[in-house]
Amino acid sequence: MIEYKDIHDFTSEQLERLFLSVEWSSGHFPDKLVTAMKNFETVYSAWDGEKLVGMICAMDDGIMTAYVHYLLVDPDYHGQTIGRTLVDMTKQKYKDYLRVVLVAYKNETHFYEQCGFKIEDKSLPMCITSLWT
């Protein structure tokens, strides 16, 4: 049974394992991820016992706009509605905000559209990064 938590404290090992399970290069920087989780306004996580199997992280301006930065679910747990549940928890928290924004990889847009997000045709995500995924 999956348990959902609203916490910000994780070990570097928990984060490294989860992020590398989805092949995200940020998993190679687990100590930075520990600090990042403490600094996000919103962090909801999914647990199978003591194992971190999913999380969503968002930052916001306190009233108008929230940015979902991370949503990841261990591939061994795909198909169990964990991602959908984490998105729903985040949407509920920000229900009174005017905008909730995220950047999706092209092969994931269908999932986010099912969660109520729409592809914006007037803007494109832009970034400066040294990460490779």
Side-chain angles (χ1 to χ4, degrees), residues 105-121:
Y105 293 108
K106 287 184 181 183
N107 62 341
E108 297 166 350
T109 56
H110 181 70
F111 168 79
Y112 289 111
E113 287 174 319
Q114 289 180 334
C115 293
F117 290 87
K118 301 202 178 344
I119 296 172
E120 173 61 50
D121 61 352

Side-chain angles (χ1 to χ4, degrees), residues 2 4 6 8 14 44 68 78 86 106-107 126:
I2 301 300
Y4 295 91
D6 179 0
H8 293 258
Q14 289 168 329
Y44 296 131
V68 176
H78 285 186
L86 292 167
K106 287 184 181 183
N107 62 341
M126 299 174 73

Side-chain angles (χ1 to χ4, degrees), residues 5 9 18-19 22 28 51-52 61 97-98 117-118:
K5 298 180 183 180
D9 293 317
L18 179 60
F19 277 73
V22 294
H28 294 284
K51 184 178 182 183
L52 176 63
D61 62 12
Y97 279 55
L98 302 177
F117 290 87
K118 301 202 178 344

